[in-house]
Amino acid sequence: MSSWQSSVADKRKRQQESIPKEWTVPVPANDVSNVIRFPEQSGVMSSKELQITNEVDVQELLQKLASGQWSAVEVTTAFYKRAILAQQVTNCLTEIFVERALKRASELDVHLRETGTVVGPLHGLPVSLKDQLCIEGLESTIGYVSLIDKYAKKNSVLADILLEAGAVPFVKTNIPQTLMWGETFNNVFGRTTNPYNRSLTCGGSSGGEGALVALKGSPLGVGSDVGGSIRIPAAFCGVYGMRPSYHRVPYEGALNTLEGQDSIPSVFGPFSNSLSGIKMFMKSVIDLKPWRKDPLAIRKPWDEEAYKLSEHGEGKRLCFGIMRHDGNIMPHPPILRGLKMMKDALVNAGHTVIDWQPINHKEMNDTVTAIWGSAAREDFRVTTLATQEPIIATMLPPESETFSEMVVDPRYPEDGMTSFQLWQLHKRKIELRKEYLDHWEKTNLETGTGRPVDAVIAPVGPYVAPPHGRNRPSGYTRVYNLLDYPVIVLPVSQVDQELDAKAPPHEYLNDADMEFHEWYDPAMFRDAPIALQLIGRTLEEEALIAMAEIVDAALKA
Amino acid sequence: MSSWQSSVADKRKRQQESIPKEWTVPVPANDVSNVIRFPEQSGVMSSKELQITNEVDVQELLQKLASGQWSAVEVTTAFYKRAILAQQVTNCLTEIFVERALKRASELDVHLRETGTVVGPLHGLPVSLKDQLCIEGLESTIGYVSLIDKYAKKNSVLADILLEAGAVPFVKTNIPQTLMWGETFNNVFGRTTNPYNRSLTCGGSSGGEGALVALKGSPLGVGSDVGGSIRIPAAFCGVYGMRPSYHRVPYEGALNTLEGQDSIPSVFGPFSNSLSGIKMFMKSVIDLKPWRKDPLAIRKPWDEEAYKLSEHGEGKRLCFGIMRHDGNIMPHPPILRGLKMMKDALVNAGHTVIDWQPINHKEMNDTVTAIWGSAAREDFRVTTLATQEPIIATMLPPESETFSEMVVDPRYPEDGMTSFQLWQLHKRKIELRKEYLDHWEKTNLETGTGRPVDAVIAPVGPYVAPPHGRNRPSGYTRVYNLLDYPVIVLPVSQVDQELDAKAPPHEYLNDADMEFHEWYDPAMFRDAPIALQLIGRTLEEEALIAMAEIVDAALKA
């Protein structure tokens, strides 16, 4: 065993030891693919614990915590148990620190009992954190062997602000090595699977959050997104997720890969089983003025008028653009069905829906990839040099036959590029943003509202969660990282073997489109969730959340 | 004559022809150094034109325009005449388009007469624009021969927004080649001089604006600032100038050098002879929602509560930090006197003043220089390649004896650097911003207000306007470009031959500090204005303007 492998063995042993024995049970055999109901069937959780963890409305949960109806210790224990059960079937966690979380919960209970007041708007709420977020005294390996045994000297600013808000950070969650994959596998913790179908990926890079929240092992999770890393796992696992605009949520003091890549910054954002969780996260964090602690955080208070849709006709009659495909890859039948469900629901609710024409999506994707690639390889090399940990070249399982044409991920050039070359990409990037802005503004002639389209609805990718190793870089998400548009992922439905039968060939957009079409087989995607993106304008988080609430209500009606 | 020189000759001829003959007069001999009163003494302007152009309160001017007391044509004509007089003594203009501006003014007059309403908040106000701002059909050479004869196909977004606000763009102003100098000289238009003393530089890169506004040839000017390019000429020419935070004022569609250098973005901001001009510019531009047209413009409405100093105790008792020097170069006697005047004025007005300790200023400066240098040379080469125009290596006049040790401007490395190296600088840059933020936040223990220091007062540089070619890169300004702090330059006084006598040696901070000290001679800086920076927190433009009003009133009291 090499030195890096023994580090990993030790880390895994310590992780195993951090799990209370009484919360472990025999797990379903590997060939049981759908484990979404496992926590409820495990027998580990009391009926009250099930009641607590099944409360998906975070504002409701917070109210019960604030009134003392449920104590922070009760709530933390319930979610912790369920998180550990999630871990046993999907391997979604990294750091586990039960004692520390329960101590924090207990202190909050004492505070409430003694003062009659809550510590903050998230009083007593357990919050799961993507492994990048540091908590003093804990490791943040972000899936790199070289970071094992490095203990954080202080909290990330976002962790600090969540604590200030009264939250209880209770687990950290799994990611892929380098963070630059849309799946979740690394040499330290291994692979996270999709709880709806364990032969499928949970997505990535915030895949641990996706799996954990889907299993209701956390009421509110924090992930990050530089190219789709919140939206892909949220969609693949069927939960709500939000990618805010750059610098609306503080990143200061968190670990990251490609550090210094400021052209298209990674952002933190929430995962939850309800939009109430998304809203509570955003409002609580912004209300605590992150610009006091993060020099890049935008000084822009929560705008309640914007949330009331003051610039969108008070939300009475909205006009949505629906993008059926991005001009490159036609989505599979479940996604197209999701788009149709969405359209019908919105029209039924009295809103207008028009077609959204994508422009420059391919070039935007290529630009994002080139910017990352300007120094990605050197970044990976520097991080892995000391331990000689191998850099992972594919997310395919070792036992898998290699679909070489399906894992063509050109990734990044060996030698990067010069600053001057990078500047030319920046120049083009801004032009692309300007072209898309003008394109959006001009829709005011078609909406009938006098306004440009209020929000755009689009697939999160051309398929629902695919088998491990087969999620190609998704052009459907990273364009919005370049454009810096806030996006909320909304779960819509699940793959249905009859409704989502293979479609006849269409007029293919290109060879890859044909390949994707032929690849589809509903059996391969059994039970996978269907979700869509709702896309707003830069720094319009408040309005986007309000519109997501309208869309969500229409879908559920 | 080479091809590039004949291009220049042609361009200069066209410029000369664009000036109405009746507005030209014999100009003072070159050895008349102070020409600040030349427009009033020229005999070209009527007493009403002098009255109009001497109205330095922009809100007052706008009120007279809005009420029809003064027509837009009258006001534009008055400022145009004065601008042409300024041109004759300081060479501050690039594009001159009298007919076009008067036509616009006349249309505004018709609009007001016919509708009884103004077009926008800047109705009828002549506005001068740094040459980078494009106006459809006009050239924007930004001092590069290769851009002669290239006519803009559309307006820059900021020009568009100023038009929407009712302004009358009427001249464009001179800059240095490459824009990366703190003086103003290029091969196309030559050198701009300081109207208070023509042997001194007007500063740069927005030097044309500094000279023009100082001569009251424009009530409101627009410059840009990536390292001090608004603040240096504002200070050297004794006018108000503001560097807003990144992306508060739209940059889209303007020309620039080092395009794609997004690490430390250049920003546009106003020049004026009153803070009322600064405020009217900022509020008018922001109220017109630049984010509709510029994808990078921050969606952050003008915040009237912030302007009322809601986060600064309603401005009743402010605490200022005063930075006497930056730890590297001790300012010359006039600057130190300005700081003392400022401190006394603030204390007399009932505010608190404490010492501000600079941290990391040298490293911040080096980081800024390294980021620019990552590809600056290649950028300059690419732009000048076609015409073989020489890249200017010094701002010293050709007839000057070369003070080689005074023009040591290490400038930029020949070969730039790789993206990976640039990423490492970005990483350090963010750490430096975090350290300065924490440093500022911690002052709440010393202020006695319960708040951190409300604003910081600092020199704009270690000297007032120096002789041509002797303005070294100023560490005093570019640190705030890295930190992204908004800054307003406030004129304080003028060099006084008695009060600003040479000081005895102090304990030198380093060799350069000794050199600067020994260099000082009040006669060399005769009549030069003294100004200071007032520095606020990122994206706190509204509060900074309000605090500048308080400081300005205290100084004038």
Side-chain angles (χ1 to χ4, degrees):
Chain A
M1 197 186 281
S2 73
S3 155
W4 75 262
Q5 286 166 317
S6 63
S7 285
V8 167
D10 174 64
K11 176 65 190 161
R12 288 193 181 185
K13 182 160 168 284
R14 286 191 285 120
Q15 189 204 44
Q16 199 51 43
E17 287 165 0
S18 68
I19 298 177
K21 292 289 161 295
E22 60 279 21
W23 296 352
T24 61
V25 281
V27 295
N30 280 341
D31 61 352
V32 176
S33 66
N34 189 329
V35 294
I36 199 73
R37 304 198 65 78
F38 171 70
E40 307 206 26
Q41 295 158 346
S42 67
V44 170
M45 301 185 70
S46 71
S47 64
K48 182 159 189 194
E49 286 164 350
L50 287 174
Q51 188 195 355
I52 289 171
T53 52
N54 284 333
E55 178 52 83
V56 294
D57 184 324
V58 171
Q59 268 168 290
E60 196 65 37
L61 193 52
L62 286 167
Q63 210 163 4
K64 291 198 167 103
L65 280 159
S67 66
Q69 187 182 337
W70 292 343
S71 75
V73 166
E74 273 180 315
V75 171
T76 301
T77 306
F79 278 104
Y80 227 132
K81 276 191 178 178
R82 197 153 175 159
I84 294 299
L85 292 164
Q87 165 70 0
Q88 292 170 66
V89 285
T90 64
N91 192 40
C92 54
L93 304 182
T94 58
E95 302 304 315
I96 297 166
F97 41 99
V98 182
E99 204 174 318
R100 182 173 174 143
L102 288 177
K103 179 162 176 286
R104 158 86 178 157
S106 162
E107 286 162 4
L108 292 166
D109 286 335
V110 169
H111 178 97
L112 180 63
R113 207 162 45 235
E114 290 184 350
T115 69
T117 60
V118 294
V119 160
L122 302 180
H123 186 101
L125 189 75
V127 175
S128 51
L129 303 176
K130 188 174 185 176
D131 204 50
Q132 292 173 265
L133 281 155
C134 299
I135 299 179
E136 193 186 330
L138 298 182
E139 287 160 281
S140 286
T141 61
I142 58 168
Y144 273 128
V145 177
S146 54
L147 297 181
I148 292 175
D149 273 332
K150 304 256 192 307
Y151 296 84
K153 295 207 176 59
K154 56 182 182 177
N155 294 334
S156 300
V157 165
L158 181 54
D160 252 351
I161 282 184
L162 290 168
L163 288 167
E164 208 176 328
V168 182
F170 75 116
V171 286
K172 299 218 294 172
T173 57
N174 206 19
I175 71 280
Q177 188 201 46
T178 78
L179 300 173
M180 301 303 284
W181 293 94
E183 305 199 16
T184 297
F185 172 70
N186 63 68
N187 293 322
V188 180
F189 297 102
R191 186 184 303 275
T192 304
T193 56
N194 192 313
Y196 281 96
N197 179 338
R198 292 195 289 173
S199 72
L200 306 178
T201 177
C202 58
S205 67
S206 316
E209 285 300 331
L212 175 66
V213 174
L215 284 157
K216 297 183 184 151
S218 170
L220 182 64
V222 182
S224 69
D225 193 317
V226 73
S229 284
I230 288 171
R231 290 163 288 156
I232 296 165
F236 286 1
C237 297
V239 303
Y240 298 85
M242 180 172 193
R243 179 223 171 261
S245 307
Y246 304 151
H247 306 310
R248 197 85 204 263
V249 173
Y251 217 96
E252 173 65 40
L255 292 190
N256 201 1
T257 58
L258 311 193
E259 274 193 293
Q261 186 284 97
D262 293 350
S263 313
I264 296 176
S266 173
V267 299
F268 283 124
F271 283 76
S272 189
N273 281 302
S274 70
L275 285 169
S276 117
I278 302 295
K279 182 188 171 193
M280 281 310 296
F281 173 86
M282 290 301 296
K283 184 170 185 327
S284 303
V285 169
I286 293 169
D287 279 349
L288 285 165
K289 304 184 179 179
W291 48 88
R292 290 174 302 134
K293 298 182 173 183
D294 178 349
L296 302 187
I298 295 182
R299 183 184 294 267
K300 180 173 162 74
W302 176 264
D303 185 339
E304 194 63 24
E305 283 308 301
Y307 176 70
K308 288 179 186 153
L309 295 175
S310 57
E311 297 197 30
H312 297 271
E314 280 73 44
K316 286 188 188 94
R317 189 191 152 213
L318 297 169
C319 178
F320 296 92
I322 287 200
M323 184 179 87
R324 199 154 176 270
H325 65 79
D326 69 352
N328 304 308
I329 306 288
M330 179 67 70
H332 283 170
I335 308 288
L336 295 178
R337 180 165 65 87
L339 288 169
K340 176 146 194 333
M341 287 173 68
M342 180 70 96
K343 180 173 181 174
D344 293 347
L346 290 171
V347 169
N348 286 338
H351 303 292
T352 309
V353 176
I354 64 175
D355 287 339
W356 180 266
Q357 302 302 334
I359 57 164
N360 299 329
H361 279 232
K362 180 157 188 338
E363 191 186 352
M364 288 195 286
N365 265 293
D366 293 345
T367 303
V368 172
T369 308
I371 285 174
W372 291 341
S374 70
R377 289 261 201 130
E378 191 154 354
D379 180 88
F380 302 161
R381 270 197 299 270
V382 166
T383 316
T384 54
L385 192 67
T387 58
Q388 296 293 313
E389 165 192 6
I391 298 175
I392 294 170
T394 171
M395 289 281 127
L396 282 167
E399 69 277 14
S400 163
E401 50 171 322
T402 54
F403 293 86
S404 64
E405 74 289 0
M406 298 308 303
V407 292
V408 169
D409 172 7
R411 305 293 295 194
Y412 315 113
E414 180 62 22
D415 291 328
M417 60 176 74
T418 66
S419 283
F420 185 75
Q421 291 169 316
L422 183 61
W423 286 7
Q424 306 321 303
L425 290 173
H426 290 167
K427 204 173 145 181
R428 183 65 192 139
K429 177 190 75 171
I430 295 175
E431 290 165 0
L432 288 163
R433 288 188 62 172
K434 170 64 171 164
E435 288 168 25
Y436 221 91
L437 173 62
D438 289 347
H439 182 61
W440 192 315
E441 284 290 317
K442 263 186 281 175
T443 60
N444 67 342
L445 303 173
E446 304 167 56
T447 54
T449 59
R451 304 184 299 273
V453 154
D454 293 292
V456 172
I457 290 154
V460 182
Y463 35 60
V464 294
H468 298 296
R470 297 184 67 174
N471 185 28
R472 296 222 279 200
S474 172
Y476 280 88
T477 51
R478 60 175 73 171
V479 292
Y480 306 113
N481 297 86
L482 180 147
L483 293 167
D484 194 23
Y485 291 169
V487 183
I488 291 176
V489 167
L490 296 153
V492 176
S493 184
Q494 264 182 279
V495 169
D496 181 296
Q497 296 299 311
E498 285 175 25
L499 295 175
D500 298 321
K502 188 159 186 157
H506 57 274
E507 200 174 319
Y508 297 120
L509 301 163
N510 50 51
D511 287 354
D513 185 35
M514 183 175 72
E515 187 192 317
F516 271 88
H517 174 82
E518 289 177 355
W519 180 42
Y520 180 69
D521 169 5
M524 186 189 281
F525 299 97
R526 185 173 298 279
D527 297 345
I530 300 168
L532 295 171
Q533 298 186 93
L534 181 73
I535 300 138
R537 314 291 293 266
T538 310
L539 286 174
E540 220 182 2
E541 279 70 26
E542 294 88 338
L544 183 67
I545 291 170
M547 288 191 279
E549 289 169 351
I550 288 170
V551 172
D552 199 48
L555 267 173
K556 286 175 176 158
Chain B
M1 196 186 283
S2 74
S3 156
W4 74 263
Q5 284 166 316
S6 62
S7 285
V8 167
D10 175 64
K11 176 65 190 161
R12 289 193 181 183
K13 183 160 168 284
R14 287 192 284 121
Q15 191 203 44
Q16 198 51 43
E17 287 165 358
S18 68
I19 297 178
K21 293 287 162 296
E22 62 276 22
W23 296 352
T24 60
V25 280
V27 295
N30 279 342
D31 62 351
V32 177
S33 67
N34 189 330
V35 294
I36 199 73
R37 305 198 64 79
F38 170 69
E40 307 204 29
Q41 297 158 344
S42 67
V44 170
M45 302 184 68
S46 70
S47 65
K48 182 159 189 196
E49 285 163 351
L50 287 174
Q51 188 196 353
I52 289 170
T53 52
N54 285 334
E55 177 52 85
V56 296
D57 185 324
V58 171
Q59 268 168 290
E60 197 64 38
L61 194 51
L62 286 167
Q63 212 163 3
K64 292 198 166 103
L65 280 159
S67 66
Q69 187 181 339
W70 291 344
S71 74
V73 167
E74 273 180 314
V75 171
T76 302
T77 305
F79 278 105
Y80 228 133
K81 277 190 179 179
R82 197 154 176 158
I84 293 298
L85 293 164
Q87 165 70 1
Q88 292 171 65
V89 284
T90 63
N91 191 40
C92 54
L93 304 183
T94 58
E95 303 303 314
I96 297 166
F97 40 100
V98 182
E99 205 174 319
R100 183 173 173 142
L102 288 176
K103 179 163 177 285
R104 158 85 179 158
S106 164
E107 286 162 4
L108 292 166
D109 286 336
V110 170
H111 179 97
L112 180 64
R113 207 161 46 234
E114 290 184 351
T115 68
T117 60
V118 294
V119 161
L122 302 180
H123 186 100
L125 189 75
V127 176
S128 50
L129 303 176
K130 188 175 186 176
D131 203 50
Q132 292 173 267
L133 281 154
C134 299
I135 298 180
E136 194 187 330
L138 298 182
E139 287 160 281
S140 287
T141 61
I142 57 169
Y144 273 128
V145 178
S146 54
L147 297 181
I148 291 175
D149 273 331
K150 303 254 192 307
Y151 296 83
K153 294 205 177 60
K154 54 182 184 177
N155 295 333
S156 300
V157 165
L158 181 53
D160 253 351
I161 283 185
L162 290 169
L163 288 168
E164 208 177 328
V168 182
F170 77 116
V171 287
K172 300 217 295 172
T173 57
N174 205 19
I175 72 276
Q177 188 201 47
T178 78
L179 300 174
M180 301 303 283
W181 293 93
E183 305 198 17
T184 296
F185 172 70
N186 62 69
N187 292 323
V188 181
F189 298 103
R191 185 184 304 276
T192 305
T193 57
N194 193 314
Y196 281 96
N197 179 337
R198 293 194 291 173
S199 71
L200 306 178
T201 177
C202 59
S205 65
S206 316
E209 285 300 330
L212 176 66
V213 174
L215 284 157
K216 295 182 186 151
S218 169
L220 182 63
V222 181
S224 69
D225 193 317
V226 72
S229 284
I230 289 171
R231 291 163 287 156
I232 295 166
F236 286 2
C237 297
V239 304
Y240 298 85
M242 179 173 195
R243 179 222 172 260
S245 308
Y246 304 152
H247 307 310
R248 196 84 203 265
V249 173
Y251 216 96
E252 173 64 40
L255 292 190
N256 202 0
T257 58
L258 312 193
E259 275 193 291
Q261 186 284 97
D262 293 349
S263 312
I264 296 177
S266 173
V267 299
F268 283 125
F271 283 76
S272 190
N273 282 302
S274 70
L275 285 169
S276 118
I278 303 294
K279 183 188 170 194
M280 281 310 296
F281 173 86
M282 290 301 296
K283 184 169 185 327
S284 302
V285 170
I286 292 169
D287 279 349
L288 285 166
K289 303 184 180 179
W291 48 90
R292 290 172 303 133
K293 299 182 173 184
D294 179 349
L296 303 186
I298 294 181
R299 184 184 293 268
K300 179 173 162 76
W302 176 265
D303 186 339
E304 194 63 25
E305 284 308 301
Y307 176 69
K308 289 179 185 153
L309 295 175
S310 56
E311 297 196 29
H312 297 272
E314 280 73 45
K316 288 190 188 91
R317 190 190 151 214
L318 296 168
C319 178
F320 296 91
I322 287 200
M323 185 179 88
R324 199 154 175 271
H325 65 78
D326 69 352
N328 304 307
I329 307 288
M330 180 66 71
H332 283 171
I335 309 287
L336 296 177
R337 180 166 64 87
L339 288 169
K340 179 153 192 325
M341 287 173 68
M342 180 71 96
K343 180 173 179 173
D344 293 347
L346 290 171
V347 169
N348 286 340
H351 304 292
T352 309
V353 175
I354 64 175
D355 287 339
W356 180 267
Q357 302 303 334
I359 57 164
N360 299 330
H361 279 231
K362 181 159 188 335
E363 190 186 353
M364 288 195 285
N365 265 294
D366 293 344
T367 303
V368 172
T369 308
I371 286 174
W372 291 341
S374 70
R377 288 262 200 129
E378 191 154 355
D379 180 88
F380 301 161
R381 269 196 300 269
V382 166
T383 315
T384 55
L385 193 67
T387 57
Q388 295 293 315
E389 165 193 6
I391 298 174
I392 295 171
T394 171
M395 288 281 127
L396 281 168
E399 69 278 13
S400 164
E401 50 172 320
T402 52
F403 293 87
S404 64
E405 74 289 0
M406 296 311 300
V407 292
V408 169
D409 172 6
R411 304 292 294 193
Y412 316 113
E414 180 62 23
D415 292 328
M417 59 175 74
T418 67
S419 283
F420 186 75
Q421 290 169 317
L422 183 62
W423 286 7
Q424 306 322 302
L425 289 174
H426 290 168
K427 204 173 145 179
R428 183 64 191 138
K429 176 189 75 170
I430 296 175
E431 289 166 1
L432 289 163
R433 289 188 63 170
K434 170 65 171 165
E435 287 167 26
Y436 221 92
L437 173 62
D438 289 347
H439 182 61
W440 193 315
E441 284 290 316
K442 263 185 280 175
T443 59
N444 67 342
L445 302 173
E446 305 167 55
T447 54
T449 60
R451 304 184 300 273
V453 154
D454 293 293
V456 172
I457 290 154
V460 184
Y463 34 59
V464 293
H468 298 297
R470 296 182 67 172
N471 185 28
R472 296 223 280 200
S474 171
Y476 279 88
T477 51
R478 61 175 70 172
V479 292
Y480 305 112
N481 297 84
L482 181 147
L483 293 167
D484 193 23
Y485 292 168
V487 183
I488 291 177
V489 167
L490 297 153
V492 176
S493 185
Q494 265 183 279
V495 169
D496 181 297
Q497 296 299 313
E498 284 176 25
L499 294 175
D500 299 320
K502 188 157 186 157
H506 57 274
E507 199 174 320
Y508 297 120
L509 301 163
N510 50 52
D511 287 354
D513 184 36
M514 183 175 72
E515 187 191 319
F516 272 88
H517 174 83
E518 291 177 354
W519 181 42
Y520 181 70
D521 170 4
M524 186 189 282
F525 300 96
R526 184 173 300 277
D527 297 345
I530 300 168
L532 295 171
Q533 297 186 95
L534 181 73
I535 300 139
R537 315 290 292 265
T538 310
L539 287 174
E540 220 182 1
E541 279 70 26
E542 294 88 338
L544 183 66
I545 291 170
M547 289 190 280
E549 289 168 352
I550 288 170
V551 172
D552 199 47
L555 266 173
K556 287 174 174 159

